[in-house]
Amino acid sequence: MSEPSQKIKHEIKSKGKYGPWVPYVFMAADFIVLNVLLITVNFLNHLLSPEIFKTILVLANAAYLPVARYSLPARRLRAVHMERLVAQSFKLVVIHAMIFFALITFMDIDDVSWKFYTEFYIGLLIAMPASWIVCRLIIKSIRRRGRNYVNIVIVGQGETARRLIQELQQDPGFGYRIHGFFDIEAPHHFSLGRYLGTIKDDLPQYLKKNHVEEIYYTLPGEDEDLMKTVVRLADSNMASFYYVPSLSRSIARSFNLQHVGAVPVLAAHSNPLDNHINRLVKRTFDVTFSSIALILSPIVFIPVAIAIKCSSPGPIFFKQRRTGYLGNEFTCWKFRTMKVNDDADRTQATENDPRKTRVGDFLRRSSIDELPQFYNVLKGDMSVVGPRPHMVKHTADYSRLIDKYMLRHVIKPGITGWAQVRGYRGATNELWQMEGRVEKDVWYIENWSLGLDIKIIIRTITNAIAGEENAY
């Protein structure tokens, strides 16, 4: 056996040969959850006779067979966020209910009470997402240990490749092992990772000698012959080929592939919060969450107020004009964390800012200083989750420097946001930091869901407990 073949064999053995079966194992977990829940509901209530229950059990499993098949693409996705998995699992429960009740109607089963069905589907709406989350956490843990990964190479080394590698590497649990990069010619300066060579001279041999499973093509698509060459190389080496379009970093929305005749086109989805129902759902969540927070607030507010008063002379609360929804200004409330000074409306806090009090430093690092903003949420100026509101001066400055900056204001600002839980919290001393924050804010706007809001809130709480490096 040749040396390249031995290397590929070792690569396959080291990563585990059971990877393709993982989605089916987790699909089996769905059936276990389904059956355990049916048995539990019937056992606790003694609702059905043994004969009827057996029929219901068979029909429920039969109804889940097409649902399980439909779920396979979602099971195979690696770089997917948990809230999308939860949304997908909810959708599958609804599809199961439609098929299940159709089978029951066809079989003319009418002696089962609605109490049984109600308890079963309420339980399934809780148990199925929980099962998907647990399964995803298990597989991510396995991948972090060096198993069930996928070997990839990236063709191109421009801005599109840079953005792609940031997404692939953001979580080791995605299981991507990036071998390196190929391009038309050797770059003068290369900082993305390992440069492996040119496409025409080095890529063919590299694919033969290494177990590469996926190729991501990030070059512009105008060079049709070059792209065809890479596609043929992928096919001949049994690797999957993915084309990454060169879209602006400010375009974070999702697209649908459509066709105008034989020409493929990308159709942009509308913003989820353009939908009146989604806006009502978000506002209802905001009012409910902020009301509960304000009812419980004296537990925290009273000792914090006393500590602030004892730390330095001045008011308990700090009020500042900030830019809100559609660019309108509003008064944002916070606990005062600094000594009274004239630069508060112009200069951001720094890590060792002499203006901060000792109590204020703790409040900032724990995010407790933001709690009074629940009043802004209840009032309607803010949302619990959204792009962080900036002081008016910063809005004027950055709107001139950063394209798409004002897109942050097409929804209400938030107490916490996607940018903050993805590492863009704190001072923005460099322009690239604000550009990154704007990119994450626009992504949030384009991909909003209630599940995403809940995920961001949970991450904010866990980050506050663990302590954040940029919280100052």
Side-chain angles (χ1 to χ4, degrees):
M1 183 179 291
S2 66
E3 182 180 348
S5 299
Q6 290 176 344
K7 182 178 181 180
I8 292 174
K9 183 176 179 181
H10 173 74
E11 189 80 17
I12 296 173
K13 184 177 179 180
S14 66
K15 67 175 288 188
K17 61 182 179 180
Y18 303 111
W21 294 100
V22 169
Y24 296 97
V25 172
F26 290 157
M27 188 190 300
D30 289 351
F31 280 99
I32 293 173
V33 168
L34 181 78
N35 287 277
V36 169
L37 191 58
L38 278 169
I39 294 170
T40 302
V41 171
N42 189 58
F43 175 78
L44 293 177
N45 295 280
H46 304 287
L47 295 174
L48 304 179
S49 65
E51 294 76 14
I52 293 294
F53 180 69
K54 288 178 183 178
T55 303
I56 293 295
L57 200 64
V58 171
L59 293 180
N61 281 273
Y64 203 75
L65 285 173
V67 174
R69 179 66 183 85
Y70 175 74
S71 72
L72 271 179
R75 291 289 197 189
R76 293 192 176 107
L77 292 175
R78 288 176 172 265
V80 62
H81 298 290
M82 286 293 187
E83 71 277 1
R84 293 189 176 179
L85 284 179
V86 171
Q88 180 72 6
S89 65
F90 282 150
K91 184 187 298 184
L92 296 181
V93 172
V94 172
I95 295 174
H96 178 268
M98 295 170 62
I99 299 173
F100 184 44
F101 286 124
L103 291 174
I104 288 173
T105 303
F106 178 77
M107 296 293 292
D108 197 24
I109 300 175
D110 56 4
D111 51 354
V112 179
S113 70
W114 281 102
K115 180 182 178 183
F116 178 87
Y117 297 132
T118 301
E119 291 182 357
F120 169 64
Y121 276 107
I122 289 176
L124 199 60
L125 283 170
I126 297 172
M128 193 60 68
S131 172
W132 277 52
I133 291 174
V134 169
C135 289
R136 177 60 58 152
L137 292 176
I138 290 173
I139 192 63
K140 289 178 76 171
S141 176
I142 291 172
R143 288 168 182 163
R144 290 190 182 103
R145 292 185 174 93
R147 310 284 293 181
N148 191 243
Y149 57 83
V150 59
N151 293 296
I152 73 171
V153 296
I154 298 175
V155 176
Q157 42 86 36
E159 179 60 25
T160 302
R162 187 181 303 276
R163 290 166 55 198
L164 174 64
I165 195 171
Q166 287 175 351
E167 293 299 322
L168 294 175
Q169 292 183 330
Q170 67 171 297
D171 187 344
F174 290 161
Y176 290 103
R177 179 169 291 184
I178 303 172
H179 284 218
F181 298 78
F182 292 88
D183 210 330
I184 300 173
E185 58 184 10
H188 296 293
H189 301 284
F190 189 74
S191 60
L192 291 183
R194 182 185 175 196
Y195 176 72
L196 298 174
T198 62
I199 298 171
K200 292 185 178 180
D201 296 333
D202 302 303
L203 180 58
Q205 290 302 316
Y206 191 87
L207 294 178
K208 288 181 181 179
K209 295 180 180 180
N210 296 272
H211 182 56
V212 175
E213 296 158 280
E214 295 181 359
I215 300 173
Y216 288 82
Y217 189 94
T218 67
L219 295 173
E222 286 80 5
D223 193 337
E224 187 175 348
D225 291 336
L226 183 63
M227 183 182 289
K228 284 182 178 179
T229 298
V230 178
V231 171
R232 283 196 298 268
L233 287 171
D235 291 341
S236 61
N237 289 276
M238 295 173 290
S240 298
F241 176 87
Y242 296 95
Y243 173 63
V244 185
S246 301
L247 298 176
S248 168
R249 66 184 290 127
S250 297
I251 302 177
R253 67 182 65 186
S254 55
F255 290 82
N256 275 335
L257 180 63
Q258 300 179 1
H259 289 82
V260 177
V263 179
V265 297
L266 295 174
H269 289 300
S270 59
N271 296 348
L273 289 173
D274 286 341
N275 183 288
H276 294 293
I277 301 299
N278 288 341
R279 290 167 68 178
L280 178 62
V281 169
K282 186 171 178 61
R283 181 58 184 160
T284 301
F285 177 80
D286 285 341
V287 171
T288 303
F289 195 95
S290 59
S291 297
I292 295 173
L294 289 174
I295 289 172
L296 299 176
S297 63
I299 300 174
V300 176
F301 278 36
I302 292 175
V304 168
I306 295 173
I308 292 173
K309 273 297 186 182
C310 294
S311 66
S312 68
I316 295 172
F317 298 104
F318 171 69
K319 295 182 289 184
Q320 185 179 68
R321 298 295 290 175
R322 297 198 178 186
T323 309
Y325 180 54
L326 298 180
N328 297 315
E329 295 182 17
F330 73 100
T331 301
C332 182
W333 288 66
K334 296 180 66 174
F335 282 123
R336 182 173 61 85
T337 58
M338 295 184 175
K339 302 169 186 177
V340 177
N341 66 92
D342 296 330
D343 296 325
D345 292 330
R346 296 188 298 271
T347 306
Q348 285 183 302
T350 57
E351 184 172 6
N352 298 310
D353 200 314
R355 296 174 298 168
K356 289 189 298 183
T357 64
R358 294 180 64 182
V359 171
D361 187 62
F362 167 76
L363 296 179
R364 283 178 171 271
R365 294 188 180 278
S366 61
S367 299
I368 293 176
D369 64 317
E370 311 285 359
L371 295 183
Q373 289 166 31
F374 282 114
Y375 167 73
N376 289 114
V377 175
L378 194 62
K379 185 181 175 184
D381 293 327
M382 293 179 64
S383 178
V384 176
V385 180
R388 283 294 296 158
H390 295 159
M391 63 180 70
V392 175
K393 181 183 183 300
H394 279 180
T395 300
D397 293 340
Y398 286 118
S399 61
R400 293 191 297 267
L401 297 173
I402 301 176
D403 187 28
K404 307 292 185 182
Y405 177 85
M406 292 306 293
L407 276 178
R408 305 174 69 255
H409 304 100
V410 298
I411 65 172
K412 293 179 181 179
I415 297 177
T416 185
W418 183 240
Q420 280 63 48
V421 299
R422 292 297 300 275
Y424 289 94
R425 182 184 172 179
T428 49
N429 300 319
E430 303 290 339
L431 185 61
W432 67 265
Q433 293 173 312
M434 183 59 75
E435 289 175 336
R437 179 179 293 184
V438 171
E439 181 181 357
K440 299 302 180 186
D441 288 339
V442 174
W443 184 93
Y444 167 79
I445 293 169
E446 302 287 1
N447 294 273
W448 175 88
S449 69
L450 184 59
L452 180 58
D453 276 3
I454 294 173
K455 175 182 178 178
I456 292 172
I457 291 171
I458 293 173
R459 277 198 179 187
T460 301
I461 294 172
T462 56
N463 289 349
I465 294 173
E468 292 188 86
E469 182 178 350
N470 296 329
Y472 49 77

